[in-house]
Amino acid sequence: MSMSWADVRFMLERARGLIRRGLASLRTRGLGPTWARVRRQFARRAPPIAEPLWFPAAGPFAPFTVPATEAPRASIVIPVYNQATHTLTCLRSLAAHRAAATCEIIVVDDGSTDETGAWMPQIDGLRYHRRPTNGGFIAACNDGAALAQGDYLVFLNNDTVPQPGWLDALLATFDAHAGVGLVGAQLVYPDGRLQEAGGVVFDDGSAWNYGRFDSPDDPRYASLRDADYCSGAAIAVPAEVFREAGGFDARYAPAYYEDTDLAFSLRARGLRVLYQPASRVVHLEGITSGTDTGSGAKAYQVRNRDVFAGKWKDALARQPQAGSLPTAGSVVRPRRQILVVDAETPRPDHDSASLRLVNLMRLLIDDDAHVVFLPADLRYAEGDTDRLRRLGIESWHAPFATRPAAWLREHGPRFDVVMLSRHYVAAEFLPLVRRFAPQARVVFDTVDLHFLRELRGAELANNASLRRTAERTRDREFALMQQADITLVVSPVEREMLSTLLPEVRADVVANLHEMATTGLPFEQRRDLVFVGGFRHPPNVDAVQWFGRHIFPLIHARQPDIRFHCIGMGPPADVLALQSQPGIVVHGHVADLGPYMDGARIAIAPLRFGAGVKGKINLSMAHGQPVVATSCAVEGMHLTDGHDVLVADEANAFAEAVLRLYGDADLWQRLAGNGRENIARHFSMEAARDTVQRVFRRHGRSE
């Protein structure tokens, strides 16, 4: 595709933004950190590395052992009719990569005449059931379900090769999502091409394997998603739900459409049918019944379509028209579709803005929206991208999205709402959104008021050049607010400021979003001080340096057993140098903050400039960890000095507040309890739910 004017305009705006941010970074961070950011920005975008498919070694039959237990969580039911070699391959796969979940394996032999009857009894741990006569796939599956002892029934074709982790991924879906009645795996061909990413059913009862022959790593097929049905080659169903539904409907005997019928039956009961791409299964399609629908067992597929269409006539009236081509947008209709664009894929373990964004998208999903995420850097972020996909967020990246303009030209018409995060991202994308998604309501998420943070930093440094930079940022942010349909800020203080400066702009508050955590150790068992904050954020660098150089020495002189733990990604040399002082430990990034949230006695937030609400304070308070902070740090957070936080702005006063709280168990307990109440009241998921629904439920710009 040739370069369009929209592409050129986008690239020019991106270049201007990079130059502006680069110069600002040079002034505030210096050459070394700025060069590191430049290298990161222009690093080669590597595509995701697809896991190679695993196949067991071929060889003659020899006895082996498969997983077995007397109290299984899952019962894997494998119906078979001849094809003993394929059954053997399937069982070898299950034996080679055992699931974390307890399971039993039941092979139901539907009257085989080959080696099946001789081999299966020799496999230790296998429950082998031989039917007296051949009754077909449905009868064999229902027999296996009647024999099963597990909480979940997992129906698995014998012509499959389950990949490592497939079963645990299926079962984890029931744990992570409410109201789920059936979960299906991603089916792939032996050559790695996609066979099915959930099925689509049309209004005449015909069906389509969504994604057939495409890449299984394509973002359209790589996230958890509701599906019309999932092929019975690899599905999981709660055993009680399956039995209440009457099992597979015998009217479709001997086979075909029973899986589609079950999915419709479960949805009619208010349960969800989900496609889970994290569960990957190789399927040798057509091994048992062939692929010719004009003869043999496969002919029942044609007959049963009419049976299915008659049974579900009313439900099919709401399905897409036969002959229409399923797309990424059509397979999730009629749900609202919301596009979220941020600078990069959020990393909720690294910074509070990422945690807020992920939890905001979770709220949108809870409100029955389909969320699509596009990182402006187009990078695949491995675990962080996969985390979004497990939540059901359709997450895009290169090489499947290469140019924002081209991507929005294709996908823009599907979106009801587009949220653009951060002013430099919104400046690049808003013209594209207005052109390619004119129907969409545009939400500008400031994350925090960047100009306010920059202006306060300039005032602290008494730097006229930084002040002029902050004023230019203010002008850009204000222009974007005037162009967007609604602006999100993170605190009432920022909303009140905008109501004065820009009364024509509609602004709403979505603060940091947190889930209440366990309260950790009691006062007597806690030790030390902790600071958590990423060092790509200049206010955090200044805060730690000020605390380490001017406040902690006062604390250490009076109580030398107290240590200060500094946690955050990318500490610069000046912060690392603080470790030369007794009692200061700079950890850098810590994957698991739990021990520090649950075991450190006090969290500190000594910020001298900044904007927005501070995730480090929210995080600690959600864990029942009291905080000593500056006035700047608690701005807009509904906190009161002495009630749920201690506030001090001078070095001596800050040190005194830390020492007082460190030694006063009653004060510590009072602040801990009141801090958790503050989180529940103002910063919990529930507290933001009404605002999120008000902003994102509306369709179009004029509502």
Side-chain angles (χ1 to χ4, degrees), residues 286-433:
I287 288 294
T288 302
S289 302
T291 57
D292 181 7
T293 58
S295 62
K298 199 74 172 174
Y300 286 103
Q301 185 172 337
V302 177
R303 187 208 74 174
N304 285 349
R305 187 183 81 177
D306 294 335
V307 176
F308 174 79
K311 179 178 178 180
W312 295 102
K313 178 180 178 181
D314 292 341
L316 289 174
R318 298 187 292 273
Q319 294 299 113
Q321 186 176 8
S324 59
L325 182 65
T327 65
S330 70
V331 295
V332 297
R333 290 192 181 116
R335 297 168 69 194
R336 287 170 299 126
Q337 299 187 52
I338 298 174
L339 172 64
V340 176
V341 184
D342 200 356
E344 58 188 21
T345 300
R347 300 180 293 173
D349 296 336
H350 289 71
D351 63 89
S352 61
S354 289
L355 180 62
R356 171 181 175 269
L357 180 58
V358 170
N359 283 338
L360 172 56
M361 291 191 285
R362 288 176 58 194
L363 281 174
L364 293 173
I365 292 170
D366 289 347
D367 197 37
D368 200 34
H370 178 75
V371 180
V372 179
F373 179 78
L374 180 71
D377 65 4
L378 299 180
R379 285 190 176 88
Y380 173 68
E382 297 188 26
D384 296 303
T385 298
D386 294 340
R387 186 203 316 262
L388 297 185
R389 288 171 169 168
R390 287 193 296 271
L391 293 173
I393 297 168
E394 183 186 317
S395 302
W396 284 78
H397 53 78
F400 304 100
T402 55
R403 299 207 311 269
W407 188 89
L408 277 165
R409 184 182 294 109
E410 178 182 356
H411 293 274
R414 62 189 278 206
F415 297 116
D416 301 294
V417 182
V418 176
M419 187 180 90
L420 305 174
S421 291
R422 306 174 203 274
H423 70 90
Y424 49 89
V425 173
E428 296 172 358
F429 278 83
L430 198 146
L432 296 179
V433 171

Side-chain angles (χ1 to χ4, degrees), residues 204-282:
D204 65 349
S206 61
W208 179 287
N209 289 355
Y210 183 53
R212 192 179 185 91
F213 302 134
D214 284 345
S215 166
D217 295 317
D218 189 308
R220 291 174 292 176
Y221 319 120
S223 62
L224 183 80
R225 191 190 71 251
D226 286 86
D228 290 343
Y229 78 98
C230 293
S231 169
I235 58 173
V237 188
E240 184 178 355
V241 168
F242 184 79
R243 289 163 185 147
E244 288 177 352
F248 287 125
D249 193 335
R251 77 182 71 187
Y252 300 102
Y256 295 107
Y257 269 88
E258 73 286 334
D259 45 12
T260 314
D261 177 86
L262 178 63
F264 272 61
S265 178
L266 296 181
R267 253 196 315 278
R269 294 164 178 264
L271 297 172
R272 298 176 69 187
V273 174
L274 296 179
Y275 155 72
Q276 175 55 275
S279 175
R280 184 168 287 180
V281 174
V282 176

